Amino acid sequence: GSSMSGSGGVQLLPIVAARYRYLRECDLRSTVPMPLSFITGHSAKLEAVGRDLVDNELLAMVSTLQEAMRVEEVNLHGNKRLTDSSLKPLLLQLLRDPLPATLRRVDLGCCARAGAKTLEVATTFVHRVGGLCELDLSRIAISMRLQRPLCKAIGEHAVLSTVNLAETGLGGSYATRECITSLL
């Protein structure tokens, strides 16, 4: 692995290296560390539902993914202040091998400030994460330019069975029929 060196150049175990990296990132970003089970190494699920996170807090968490060998779930539902500045790097880091092999559920629902950059990566993400079973992008405005490619990727996915696209703007455009057909 890519375990970091601790003080004195001693190699750290991946879980310790991830914690060390997280605490260092929190310090650099002037954020308060959160004792989430994922951060402490007690869970393969990054769950931070409704915590009102800001970009710097999520970016500090994203830094721990450099050491991660397994992520089963990411649930950031209701974090309305997160933007492309942290959500895009999160999705890109989750595409790093071996993480796509273990990821089953991603919930970005109500992360209403997510934008085109996050949704562009989300389309690639759906193509590359073959075991993804659940995806929630509800209440994220999806531009007409991105609706078709995203719906096509979702519709072609082999195992994706639960998708929430409520209040995304899907349904109010000339592309609606094509999008719905792609999804079904």
Side-chain angles (χ1 to χ4, degrees), residues 29 46 54-63 65-66 74 76 79 81-96 99 103 106-108 111-126 128-129 137 140 145-146:
R29 296 174 182 283
L46 175 50
V54 295
D55 287 330
N56 274 341
E57 290 170 321
L58 181 58
L59 286 168
M61 292 178 199
V62 168
S63 72
L65 294 173
Q66 295 175 34
V74 173
L76 297 174
N79 285 281
R81 298 193 305 167
L82 295 176
T83 70
D84 284 346
S85 297
S86 61
L87 293 169
K88 178 184 175 185
L90 168 70
L91 293 180
L92 288 172
Q93 194 62 240
L94 289 169
L95 287 172
R96 182 189 59 76
L99 300 182
L103 195 55
V106 174
D107 187 340
L108 302 181
C111 293
R113 293 181 66 198
K117 291 177 182 175
T118 298
L119 293 167
E120 286 169 1
V121 176
T123 302
T124 302
F125 190 83
V126 171
R128 296 237 346 251
V129 182
L137 298 175
I140 297 174
R145 176 179 67 84
L146 297 172

Side-chain angles (χ1 to χ4, degrees), residues 2-182:
S2 60
S3 295
M4 300 173 51
S5 294
S7 59
V10 175
Q11 285 294 101
L12 301 175
L13 295 172
I15 188 80
V16 176
R19 287 182 201 157
Y20 177 80
R21 183 185 307 274
Y22 175 67
L23 292 172
R24 192 178 70 207
E25 284 290 321
C26 285
D27 187 46
L28 291 171
R29 296 174 182 283
S30 301
T31 62
V32 176
M34 291 186 189
L36 301 176
S37 295
F38 180 80
I39 301 298
T40 63
H42 294 94
S43 174
K45 297 178 180 182
L46 175 50
E47 296 178 295
V49 177
R51 290 202 173 237
D52 204 28
L53 296 176
V54 295
D55 287 330
N56 274 341
E57 290 170 321
L58 181 58
L59 286 168
M61 292 178 199
V62 168
S63 72
T64 66
L65 294 173
Q66 295 175 34
E67 307 295 331
M69 297 304 290
R70 176 179 193 82
V71 178
E72 296 170 6
E73 177 180 322
V74 173
N75 190 345
L76 297 174
H77 194 94
N79 285 281
K80 297 175 183 179
R81 298 193 305 167
L82 295 176
T83 70
D84 284 346
S85 297
S86 61
L87 293 169
K88 178 184 175 185
L90 168 70
L91 293 180
L92 288 172
Q93 194 62 240
L94 289 169
L95 287 172
R96 182 189 59 76
D97 282 335
L99 300 182
T102 61
L103 195 55
R104 300 291 175 256
R105 181 173 186 264
V106 174
D107 187 340
L108 302 181
C110 299
C111 293
R113 293 181 66 198
K117 291 177 182 175
T118 298
L119 293 167
E120 286 169 1
V121 176
T123 302
T124 302
F125 190 83
V126 171
H127 281 295
R128 296 237 346 251
V129 182
L132 190 65
C133 298
E134 295 182 42
L135 177 66
D136 187 341
L137 298 175
S138 61
R139 296 188 179 166
I140 297 174
I142 304 174
S143 70
M144 288 194 347
R145 176 179 67 84
L146 297 172
Q147 286 178 5
R148 279 190 264 196
L150 181 60
C151 289
K152 186 174 187 288
I154 290 169
E156 291 173 350
H157 198 282
V159 298
L160 188 55
S161 59
T162 303
V163 178
N164 188 346
L165 297 174
E167 299 181 45
T168 59
L170 189 64
S173 76
Y174 66 89
T176 300
R177 179 172 291 178
E178 186 179 340
C179 288
I180 299 300
T181 302
S182 293

